[in-house]
Amino acid sequence: MSRIVTVGAAQLGPIQKHHTREEVVQRLIALLQKADKADCDLVVFPELALTTFFPRWFIDNIGEADHWYETAMPSPVTQPLFDEAKKLGIGFCLGYAEITDDGHRYNTQVLVEKDGSIIAKYRKVHIPGHEHHEPDRPFQHAERYYFEPSMEGFGVWRAFGARVGMMICNDRRWPESYREMGLQGVEMILCGYNTPIHYVPDPSQDILQGFHNALVMQSGAYQNGTWVVGVAKAGVEEGVDSLGQSMIVAPSGQIVAQTFTTDDELITARCDLDWCKRYTGTLFDFDKYRRPEVYTRITSQRGAITD
Ligand code: CDT
């Protein structure tokens, strides 16, 4: 008997600075209700799904940014989302900015089961952008100021009858992210993202944003024999145009569903988990074909040595 998880990728349109968390939670609930009509088991929301993408602004006193972060999950404001999901019997994955009791700041996703219990928390490993104010940019990408990189790495958890992993936005561009999970037998990777179309350090990449987005998720899925669910916060947010093109990618690397707007939009797919074995049991039978003894640079060295 095949193992099916029906997943919904719940893309969000922009969240402007003046939008309250209460308003955003109502949008998330509306998407959950659509997902219920489509018989979803699990709904994936974007990175930083409760607020605008605030690292586009720099402020000298980081304490003044505390209001963008969640101190608890769920909280009184997000509890209605947890309640609705539990009532509908749908699990979800939600990205948000987290501040811990001892003041650490992470870019985080939680995975919540159908009964409302939190299965896992993932904190972003690859933090892109810059640490300091760069006044010549049209907008900042100061994630390295607002978030510290997680030292916890990439986990895989049993949930929804599957082996589920998580990553966040820039993580999807790094093959190591997928492989770390592939080596734990991952069958479905959940990834929220906010990707500005304009890449300030090299604008020649702007036109390629959609291509690169698909390229990395399709190859990551194929090379690790896993489903990948990539979900955008899209559209023009505070004047910054961000990529949509949320997608659900099969272990073959094929896109089985993709959004066509930059607004709140749900796409769904019935994901056959046994499809993973067609790849992990053949061409990508890691146990048979991998050569870790010759990959030692991967963990012993960070940058390229060219001399
Ligand atoms: N949120 C996030 O990680 N965005 C990056 C933007 C490019 S780096 C400035 C991404 O990889 O999509």
Side-chain angles (χ1 to χ4, degrees):
M1 203 175 76
S2 57
R3 294 181 300 136
I4 304 289
V5 174
T6 301
V7 70
Q11 177 176 284
L12 286 176
I15 300 175
Q16 310 300 351
K17 200 173 187 174
H18 67 268
H19 289 147
T20 65
R21 281 183 179 68
E22 285 82 356
E23 289 169 329
V24 175
V25 166
Q26 287 311 310
R27 286 166 62 183
L28 304 181
I29 288 174
L31 286 160
L32 264 186
Q33 290 167 344
K34 272 193 186 158
D36 178 50
K37 292 200 172 68
D39 281 333
C40 287
D41 299 296
L42 165 66
V43 170
V44 184
F45 295 112
E47 175 191 32
L48 300 181
L50 295 171
T51 65
T52 199
F53 189 78
F54 61 89
R56 74 170 62 89
W57 297 293
F58 198 89
I59 48 172
D60 289 327
N61 177 3
I62 199 167
E64 289 172 18
D66 284 359
H67 64 99
W68 296 120
Y69 296 77
E70 310 302 313
T71 53
M73 188 58 65
S75 63
V77 176
T78 50
Q79 189 64 53
L81 175 69
F82 281 71
D83 292 344
E84 185 68 13
K86 185 175 174 180
K87 189 182 100 191
L88 298 174
I90 302 178
F92 66 92
C93 174
L94 177 74
Y96 61 99
E98 175 193 13
I99 187 164
T100 63
D101 291 343
D102 52 354
H104 294 280
R105 296 167 192 272
Y106 297 107
N107 190 336
T108 298
Q109 272 179 186
V110 275
L111 183 60
V112 181
E113 251 297 2
K114 293 179 173 193
D115 64 1
S117 59
I118 291 184
I119 299 162
K121 185 183 269 191
Y122 166 74
R123 292 166 170 156
K124 189 172 181 176
V125 167
H126 299 97
I127 309 290
H130 48 102
E131 291 82 357
H132 305 291
H133 189 218
E134 298 190 4
D136 292 340
R137 286 175 174 258
F139 56 88
Q140 305 291 299
H141 197 107
E143 275 198 68
R144 294 175 72 85
Y145 177 65
Y146 287 109
F147 300 117
E148 58 185 274
S150 163
M151 293 299 291
E152 295 159 356
F154 297 95
V156 170
W157 297 271
R158 284 187 184 274
F160 308 98
R163 287 188 291 271
V164 181
M166 291 187 275
M167 62 185 178
I168 300 178
C169 196
N170 191 258
D171 290 326
R172 77 194 189 286
R173 302 187 193 272
W174 299 90
E176 294 87 348
S177 312
Y178 303 86
R179 187 64 101 218
E180 278 288 312
M181 291 184 262
L183 286 167
Q184 299 170 74
V186 74
E187 294 170 313
M188 184 176 284
I189 297 176
L190 315 178
C191 176
Y193 60 89
N194 285 252
T195 296
I197 303 276
H198 181 42
Y199 184 58
V200 179
D202 177 16
S204 76
Q205 296 182 28
D206 295 3
I207 199 169
L208 301 172
Q209 287 293 356
F211 167 65
H212 289 155
N213 183 52
L215 177 72
V216 292
M217 292 198 286
Q218 290 184 262
S219 53
Y222 167 64
Q223 292 170 344
N224 295 278
T226 181
W227 290 89
V228 173
V229 184
V231 187
K233 171 135 65 61
V236 182
E237 198 180 77
E238 296 295 334
V240 177
D241 199 3
S242 296
L243 185 72
Q245 300 183 21
S246 303
M247 60 181 69
I248 301 171
V249 184
S252 58
Q254 293 166 289
I255 298 170
V256 299
Q258 185 170 0
T259 56
F260 58 90
T261 74
T262 50
D263 297 322
D264 293 8
E265 181 182 345
L266 181 81
I267 52 169
T268 66
R270 276 171 52 84
C271 302
D272 182 349
L273 301 170
D274 292 330
W275 198 348
C276 301
K277 263 275 166 251
R278 291 171 182 249
Y279 292 86
T280 59
T282 59
L283 196 70
F284 294 115
D285 180 339
F286 289 171
D287 199 35
K288 189 166 177 185
Y289 297 119
R290 282 186 79 250
R291 298 287 314 284
E293 62 278 17
V294 298
Y295 307 150
T296 53
R297 281 181 198 275
I298 298 282
T299 55
S300 64
Q301 187 178 317
R302 184 193 296 241
I305 297 173
T306 53
D307 288 340

